[in-house]
């Protein structure tokens, strides 16, 4: 990971138009799902990110041929040579576990080491494994490896203890080629699940119910290669929306699906921002100091945990006191200490952060500890007095495509310095 730094001069009012990129959290499962079919899958509007590069390396390690042409990624998984992924690759990214389902569905076996990713809390694989076992898969876990194999996948009824996004995606991709019907109860309802359903159904699968808490999947014998455009990234869009408010700016963001951003829009309006919603764009204007609001992260359609750090940066300069409750990840307050260096007044009690708004943040030397914490500090730096040096921006590269160019076009003053 490149450990470059940003030097950011704050207090610049951001205004203008930018285009939102395709969704990272949708692109990763779609790339994994391309392993289900022999032939060439074409995916459009995939963002250029470190995590996408890692996933492409994982596919290539399995023997798929991957070509990148402008905005398109072509995956040819006709002849896969391996069902095992190198441990070094798995450790680089959490979402590499999404190859479990497709490989079992297509080849009946897989061996992977347990994945890595951002250190924001435990994200166990138990829901994935329990669901696979319901479909008839034998699973052996030892020495940090997961080995799984099956002769014939059998449709089944699966109850998830928590609406895990990764487990829902993995089980959908496994069940599409199982014999009979699979029902997944307490499924995750995120927009990325709907995108995966649409992609699988284009390929000839029979999946319905995405966006609800019960999914029904009727197994089919084969799937066919298709072309598909990934949905826009709602977390990137939410980050730009917060940037507009924090810099008293006026930003129009195109390539968005406003329904996916309803909880973020609602909270920003409650805090006093002006938001104009179009069919596929959102315009956000900051006017005056915002009011503090209480916020609680929840599985979709609640407030997204991936927007919690950015929102905390915003509330650090709001009028009054706000409470941010994090219910998804137990270790997702690593940005708090760094925001405090910039003058934020935040105290953490268990899973709640109490934020006493200050009039302004001060530039400082700060460090990104994970992807969204990095985004929060980036936003804080844009609004702060004087200059901020933000270290370890390699974390931010994992989730934001072309960040510098987008923000320079809006009037931000920043430069990237290679370490």
């Amino acid at each position: 990971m490149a450990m470059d730094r940003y030097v950011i001069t704050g207090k610049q009012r951001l205004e203008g138009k930018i285009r939102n990129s395709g969704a990272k959290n949708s692109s990763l499962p779609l790339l994994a799902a391309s392993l289900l079919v022999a032939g060439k899958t074409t995916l459009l509007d995939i963002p250029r990110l470190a995590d996408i590069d890692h996933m492409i390396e994982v596919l290539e390690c399995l023997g798929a041929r991957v070509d990148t042409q402008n905005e398109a990624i072509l995956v040819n998984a006709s002849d896969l040579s391996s069902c095992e992924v190198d441990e070094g690759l798995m450790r680089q990214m959490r979402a590499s576990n999404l190859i479990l389902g497709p490989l079992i569905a297509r080849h009946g076996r897989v061996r992977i080491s347990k994945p890595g990713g951002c250190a924001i809390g435990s994200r166990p694989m138990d829901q994935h494994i329990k669901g696979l076992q319901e479909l008839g898969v034998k699973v052996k876990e030892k020495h940090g490896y997961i080995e799984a194999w099956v002769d014939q996948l059998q449709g089944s009824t699966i109850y998830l203890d928590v609406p895990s996004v990764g487990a829902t995606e993995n089980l959908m991709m496994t069940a599409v080629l199982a014999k009979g019907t699979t029902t997944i109860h307490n499924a995750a309802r995120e927009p990325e699940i709907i995108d995966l359903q649409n992609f699988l159904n284009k390929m000839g699968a029979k999946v319905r119910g995405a966006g609800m808490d019960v999914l029904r999947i009727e197994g089919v014998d084969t799937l066919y290669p298709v072309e598909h455009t990934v949905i826009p990234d709602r977390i990137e869009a939410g980050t730009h929306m917060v940037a507009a408010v924090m810099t008293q700016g006026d930003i129009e963001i195109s390539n968005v699906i406003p329904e996916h951003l309803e909880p973020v829009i609602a909270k920003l309006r409650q805090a006093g921002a002006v938001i104009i919603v179009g069919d596929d764009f959102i315009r956000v204007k900051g006017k005056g100091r915002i009011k503090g609001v209480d916020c609680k992260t929840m599985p979709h359609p609640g407030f997204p945990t991936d927007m919690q750090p950015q929102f905390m940066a915003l509330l650090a300069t709001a009028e009054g006191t706000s409470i941010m409750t994090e219910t998804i990840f137990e270790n997702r307050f690593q940005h708090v200490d760094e925001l405090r260096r910039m003058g934020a007044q935040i105290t953490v009690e268990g899973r709640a952060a109490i934020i006493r708004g200050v009039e302004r943040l001060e530039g400082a030397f700060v460090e990104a500890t994970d992807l969204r914490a990095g985004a929060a500090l980036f936003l804080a730096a844009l609004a702060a007095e004087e200059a901020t040096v933000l270290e370890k921006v390699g974390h931010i590269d994992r989730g934001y495509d072309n960040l510098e160019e987008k923000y320079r076009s809006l009037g931000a003053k920043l430069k990237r310095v290679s370490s």
Side-chain angles (χ1 to χ4, degrees), residues 189-208:
R189 297 164 59 180
E190 269 69 5
E192 294 77 15
I193 304 283
I194 300 171
D195 202 21
L196 180 60
Q197 169 180 282
N198 293 342
F199 180 57
L200 293 169
N201 287 349
K202 264 189 205 174
M203 292 164 112
K206 294 180 175 170
V207 185
R208 59 185 200 278

Side-chain angles (χ1 to χ4, degrees), residues 148-186:
W149 65 98
V150 69
D151 290 330
Q152 171 66 63
L153 286 165
Q154 222 36 69
S156 179
T157 301
I158 299 168
Y159 292 87
L160 294 177
D161 298 336
V162 288
S164 155
V165 176
T168 302
E169 291 167 342
N170 243 331
L171 298 172
M172 283 168 80
M173 293 187 280
T174 313
V176 288
L177 291 174
K179 276 227 176 316
T181 304
T182 300
T183 312
I184 303 173
H185 293 267
N186 197 24

